[in-house]
Amino acid sequence: MTRYVIVNNNLFNPSINNNTVRRVFQTFNLPEDFNFFEKYVKAEFIFKWGCDGSSGQTEYHQAFTQNTNLTLNDPHSSSDLDNDTDDCEQNYEQDVEYTDANMFLFSLVPLRLTFSMTDDTNDILWKNLTPSSTRYCRPIKFLYKKETKYNTCKEVEAIENEINALVPIEIVINNMSVPVHCKLVMTMVDGKVINNLTDT
């Protein structure tokens, strides 16, 4: 039986992407003597990702930890800004009251795994046949925030910075280490997200 082992994973959400890549490779039935480097030069896993918000949910009787005077220009801050702003680069500090009436979700969906050859042609080893379904949807962030212009800009910027810092995932196929490059494309957006990011 062909063996697949995850050696290293430096994605921004290791548990989600680790399981996604591992399970996709487990569906393959490659021959025992398969040698990636005899035919291919690159392995690439393509994902789509995006965000959307929802407001007006029923508020449940649960307590939230309140933080005071959090600086909102920190992309990793858990603070929130209820009102929209015209400048995504502004610096804000204010008291924050958490509530589950507003939710902001970031997610990704695996689309395709390809092996590239030296003549720039690709072999598609796996393809998501239902890319618009929630079947393969993986959450990245789930926040109790409103989908304001400020929050959209700051959270998208934080994720894009982490994506730019990604390194290939090392997969061992028949005792050979194969680097799998991940390409994430932000296509899961609606009109409001586009307007917030493009200032239109």
Side-chain angles (χ1 to χ4, degrees), residues 11-37:
L11 294 177
F12 54 88
N13 198 327
S15 60
I16 294 174
N17 294 279
N18 227 339
N19 289 333
T20 301
V21 174
R22 175 176 56 83
R23 289 172 182 172
V24 167
F25 269 89
Q26 286 176 344
T27 64
F28 300 153
N29 189 21
L30 299 175
E32 294 286 340
D33 59 349
F34 174 79
N35 187 334
F36 174 86
F37 297 101

Side-chain angles (χ1 to χ4, degrees), residues 70-187:
L70 291 175
T71 303
L72 298 187
N73 67 333
D74 180 2
H76 299 290
S77 172
S78 60
S79 55
D80 192 10
L81 184 66
D82 286 337
N83 298 321
D84 211 344
T85 83
D86 293 330
D87 187 358
C88 292
E89 301 300 326
Q90 290 187 35
N91 199 356
Y92 292 91
E93 293 185 358
Q94 66 174 35
D95 293 343
V96 178
E97 181 176 356
Y98 290 92
T99 171
D100 54 354
N102 307 301
M103 298 182 183
F104 201 11
L105 176 66
F106 289 74
S107 58
L108 62 81
V109 175
L111 296 179
R112 187 173 61 188
L113 174 63
T114 61
F115 284 180
S116 302
M117 291 175 274
T118 55
D119 58 357
D120 293 332
T121 59
N122 298 323
D123 282 346
I124 300 176
L125 270 72
W126 178 86
K127 183 178 181 179
N128 185 352
L129 299 179
T130 56
S132 297
S133 171
T134 58
R135 179 181 180 185
Y136 294 107
C137 187
R138 302 289 187 262
I140 301 175
K141 287 184 179 181
F142 186 64
L143 309 171
Y144 289 118
K145 290 185 176 184
K146 292 186 71 173
E147 186 189 357
T148 63
K149 180 177 180 179
Y150 179 83
N151 287 333
T152 301
C153 290
K154 298 309 293 185
E155 295 297 340
V156 167
E157 180 184 11
I159 293 178
E160 287 181 338
N161 289 338
E162 293 178 277
I163 291 175
N164 292 333
L166 291 180
V167 298
I169 306 172
E170 295 293 333
I171 306 291
V172 174
I173 305 177
N174 291 339
N175 297 321
M176 290 180 296
S177 180
V178 178
V180 180
H181 300 262
C182 291
K183 180 180 180 180
L184 288 86
V185 184
M186 187 180 184
T187 60

Side-chain angles (χ1 to χ4, degrees), residues 55-68:
S55 301
Q57 273 74 233
T58 301
E59 297 185 52
Y60 295 92
H61 297 289
Q62 57 183 346
F64 288 84
T65 301
Q66 293 190 6
N67 296 321
T68 305

